[in-house]
C-alpha cells in the first residue's frame, strides 16, 4: 500500500512481508521529497506508527522554513539537545540506512531525510513540508491499513 500527498512529495509504503514472516512484519518505506527512503527488509511497525501518530511539536523559529535551507535546519536539530531527540523518526529497522527527522511546526508537518552515508556535510537532505491535516490523513490511512492487514492475517487459518 502506497499512501502519499497529491504531489507525491511525502508518503508511506507498507507491504506485508508474507511467508516466512508472520503478520506483524511489513516492508516499510518513507517517501520524502519524492525520494523513497528505507530498505526492503521486513520490520515490526508498532513503534514507527506510534512515533508518526505523535510527532513532536517544535515551535522553534529556526525550524519554520526547512525547505529554504535543509542543511541549516538539520544543523539546528542536531546541535540543540531539546530538538534532537524529539525529532528523530528512526523507529523502524528498515530506516537503519537513513537519518529521518520529523516535527510539527505551526500548521505544517515537516519530514527531513537523508542517507546515513556518506559523512555528515556531504549528504543531500530531502524535505517534505505538508499541512498537518494532510500528514495526519496519510498516517491515519496507513495505520488503518496496517491494523487491518494484521487482523486479516491472524484470522486466516493458513497463516502461522
Amino acid at each position: 500500500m502506497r499512501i502519499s500527498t497529491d504531489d507525491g512529495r511525502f508518503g508511506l509504503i507498507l507491504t506485508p512481508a508474507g511467508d516466512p514472516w508472520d503478520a506483524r512484519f511489513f516492508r516499510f518505506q518513507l517517501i520524502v521529497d519524492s525520494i523513497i527512503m528505507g530498505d526492503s527488509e521486513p520490520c515490526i511497525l508498532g513503534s514507527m506508527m506510534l512515533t508518526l501518530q505523535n510527532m513532536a511539536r517544535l515551535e522553534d523559529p529556526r525550524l519554520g522554513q526547512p525547505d529554504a535551507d535543509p542543511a541549516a535546519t538539520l544543523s539546528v536539530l542536531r546541535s540543540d539537545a531539546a530538538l534532537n531527540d524529539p525529532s528523530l523518526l528512526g523507529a523502524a529497522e528498515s530506516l537503519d540506512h537513513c537519518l529521518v527527522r520529523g516535527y510539527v511546526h505551526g500548521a505544517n508537518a515537516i519530514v527531513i531525510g537523508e542517507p546515513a552515508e556518506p559523512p555528515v556535510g556531504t549528504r543531500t537532505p530531502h524535505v517534505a513540508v505538508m499541512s498537518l491535516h494532510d500528514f495526519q490523513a496519510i498516517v491515519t490511512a496507513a495505520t488503518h491499513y496496517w491494523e487491518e492487514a494484521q487482523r486479516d492475517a491472524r484470522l486466516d487459518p493458513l497463516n502461522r
Side-chain angles (χ1 to χ4, degrees):
M1 169 69 69
R2 180 182 182 136
I3 306 163
S4 69
T5 55
D6 288 342
D7 62 6
R9 290 186 43 97
F10 176 78
L12 306 173
I13 301 172
L14 289 79
T15 307
D19 285 335
W21 305 94
D22 70 39
R24 297 173 299 156
F25 287 86
F26 282 74
R27 183 183 86 194
F28 174 79
Q29 296 169 307
L30 283 171
I31 302 166
V32 181
D33 192 20
S34 303
I35 305 294
I36 295 175
M37 299 197 168
D39 59 38
S40 60
E41 291 299 314
C43 60
I44 297 174
L45 290 181
S47 295
M48 188 65 199
M49 298 310 287
L50 188 59
T51 299
L52 290 170
Q53 291 168 352
N54 298 294
M55 211 159 57
R57 179 168 286 282
L58 304 176
E59 294 297 347
D60 188 303
R62 299 172 292 172
L63 303 176
Q65 295 184 321
D67 42 353
D69 191 347
T73 301
L74 284 173
S75 178
V76 169
L77 291 169
R78 286 187 189 110
S79 64
D80 189 324
L83 303 174
N84 184 53
D85 288 349
S87 69
L88 292 172
L89 296 182
E93 294 88 349
S94 61
L95 296 177
D96 285 348
H97 300 289
C98 301
L99 298 172
V100 183
R101 295 176 180 272
Y103 58 93
V104 175
H105 188 279
N108 291 324
I110 298 157
V111 179
I112 305 172
E114 62 183 344
E117 297 176 3
V120 172
T122 61
R123 303 174 189 157
T124 301
H126 300 279
V127 179
V129 178
M130 73 227 76
S131 75
L132 182 56
H133 178 268
D134 287 351
F135 176 81
Q136 289 172 333
I138 289 168
V139 171
T140 298
T143 300
H144 287 293
Y145 171 76
W146 167 65
E147 290 170 345
E148 283 297 311
Q150 288 185 99
R151 185 186 64 77
D152 291 348
R154 284 192 298 269
L155 294 175
D156 181 353
L158 299 177
N159 187 35
R160 296 169 229 196

